[in-house]
Amino acid sequence: MFAAAGLVKPARLMKVFVTGPLPAQGRAALAQATDCEVEQWNSDDPIPSKDLEQGVAGAYGLLCRLSDRVDKKLLDAAGANLRVISTLSVGVDHLALDEIKKRGIRVGYTPGVLTDATAELAVSLLLTTCRRLPEAIEEVKNGGWSSWSPLWMCGYGLSESTVGIVGLGRIGQAIARRLKPFGVQRFLYTGRQPRPQEAAEFQAEFVPIAQLAAESDFIVVSCSLTPATRGLCNKDFFQKMKNTAVFINISRGDVVNQEDLYQALASGQIAAAGLDVTTPEPLPPSHPLLTLKNCVILPHIGSATYKTRNTMSLLAANNLLAGLRGEPMPSELKL
């Protein structure tokens, strides 16, 4: 399922491998390059590891997705030519960065361009979860909507609430900016270090993770996945939360211990959870979390707007081409 793309090229070409079809803008940028020959896995399904190793062999550049594991084995299969890896994502936890750095390979990624779309999705997921919209829709469809009663389908509102944000980076700030007009009374945040300049816009308080868990009515996780954040939201974290609190994760699935989250939801330790990311992805339909009415799970669609995905693909393509040519990348991850 490999396909070639591009214009007529001069005799000496640099092979690049793309692990799946790109949106139009990225595809056009690669097609116009006259100094490389593009090979592409011609399916939106994840490329099997053997095909990925075969495709990347001898390549000078690799344009990959978040679902592609770029580890030592793959780098060995690529060989000594590989000089740039461009990922169609802001997250880089699928890349073996230490090994990539050893080999002097440059890395491009796509921060910034997906901030607004991801923040919009986070707010949508929060409102969907706290106001129990999937349950309400199902009641309409199955005949459960019979008559009005005071407490039927009640959820939780943002007005006069406390919102805790785990990771006040670009996306965390964009989420807070969108939530503020809902009448949030207090913002808390936690992370590696205080960010007073960024927090000033929301009068957000930097607090320990335990305090954030205990005092927040809504918790939104928007941090990067690092050794320090892996499993951060676990049994101890959920036990500190209010039993009326709503938990939202739009960062990475591995930040959350999903078994502990299931127990917290099933036992009523916390009110509800909304997840745009899980471990694994896709989540098996038989997973226990999918049996819970108070857990809303989306298929990792944080950046899924036509405009954002096109912009991401163009940035990823331009990162790749700049790296091949030894030029400054529009967005390079400094290793």
Side-chain angles (χ1 to χ4, degrees):
M1 297 181 68
F2 293 99
L7 306 173
V8 176
K9 308 289 197 302
R12 185 171 178 80
L13 304 172
M14 292 180 286
K15 172 185 170 180
V16 301
F17 188 71
V18 183
T19 64
L22 293 174
Q25 292 183 17
R27 188 168 65 248
L30 292 183
Q32 292 168 11
T34 59
D35 51 354
C36 63
E37 182 175 34
V38 179
E39 291 185 13
Q40 176 183 288
W41 177 251
N42 202 28
S43 171
D44 272 324
D45 292 330
I47 181 171
S49 56
K50 285 187 178 180
D51 292 300
L52 180 52
E53 290 168 14
Q54 176 189 338
V56 79
Y60 286 79
L62 171 66
L63 199 160
C64 65
R65 300 177 174 190
L66 189 63
S67 54
D68 302 316
R69 182 65 53 186
V70 181
D71 54 16
K72 183 179 185 300
K73 184 179 180 183
L74 184 67
L75 295 170
D76 287 342
N81 285 346
L82 190 63
R83 62 177 68 165
V84 58
I85 297 168
S86 177
T87 181
L88 188 66
S89 65
V90 64
V92 292
D93 45 284
H94 57 303
L95 307 179
L97 295 178
D98 289 344
E99 191 66 32
I100 290 168
K101 183 178 180 179
K102 281 182 193 175
R103 299 172 189 235
I105 299 169
R106 298 171 68 187
V107 174
Y109 69 136
T110 61
V113 297
L114 48 68
T115 297
D116 288 339
T118 305
E120 290 168 4
L121 189 281
V123 174
S124 300
L125 180 56
L126 188 154
L127 293 170
T128 296
T129 303
C130 73
R131 294 300 301 270
R132 302 171 63 186
L133 299 191
E135 289 181 73
I137 292 167
E138 188 58 32
E139 290 294 282
V140 173
K141 290 181 177 180
N142 67 19
W145 183 17
S146 55
S147 63
W148 185 90
S149 61
L151 297 179
W152 186 64
M153 294 308 308
C154 282
Y156 299 94
L158 281 160
S159 180
E160 300 182 359
S161 68
T162 296
V163 172
I165 298 177
V166 181
L168 196 68
R170 283 183 294 263
I171 293 173
Q173 292 167 52
I175 292 168
R177 195 169 293 121
R178 285 158 174 77
L179 289 178
K180 189 176 180 181
F182 283 91
V184 173
Q185 187 174 68
R186 185 183 180 210
F187 283 101
L188 308 177
Y189 75 100
T190 191
R192 285 175 293 184
Q193 58 189 14
R195 307 188 70 167
Q197 186 172 348
E198 294 85 351
E201 180 181 349
F202 322 105
Q203 294 81 50
E205 305 167 44
F206 182 75
V207 297
I209 187 75
Q211 182 180 345
L212 183 143
E215 297 182 9
S216 298
D217 299 301
F218 301 90
I219 294 175
V220 183
V221 181
S222 56
C223 59
S224 301
L225 177 62
T226 67
T229 61
R230 187 179 297 274
L232 178 69
C233 300
N234 55 19
K235 181 178 180 179
D236 183 60
F237 179 90
F238 296 125
Q239 285 181 339
K240 289 182 171 64
M241 288 175 61
K242 301 176 182 179
N243 59 17
T244 55
V246 174
F247 176 83
I248 303 294
N249 184 20
I250 52 96
S251 61
R252 287 291 181 268
D254 281 338
V255 174
V256 177
N257 183 312
Q258 288 180 173
E259 291 183 11
D260 292 348
L261 175 60
Y262 173 82
Q263 293 299 328
L265 290 166
S267 67
Q269 176 65 49
I270 66 174
L275 312 174
D276 186 44
V277 288
T278 61
T279 302
E281 292 183 358
L283 196 67
S286 60
H287 195 282
L289 283 172
L290 293 171
T291 67
L292 300 174
K293 288 185 176 181
N294 58 345
C295 188
V296 178
I297 298 180
L298 303 179
H300 202 156
I301 56 170
S303 63
T305 69
Y306 291 111
K307 179 180 178 181
T308 299
R309 291 286 171 84
N310 258 297
T311 304
M312 288 173 66
S313 74
L314 178 59
L315 178 54
N318 287 336
N319 281 337
L320 180 78
L321 295 173
L324 288 172
R325 297 162 182 165
E327 300 169 354
M329 287 186 192
S331 188
E332 182 169 1
L333 181 70
K334 299 302 181 182
L335 301 178

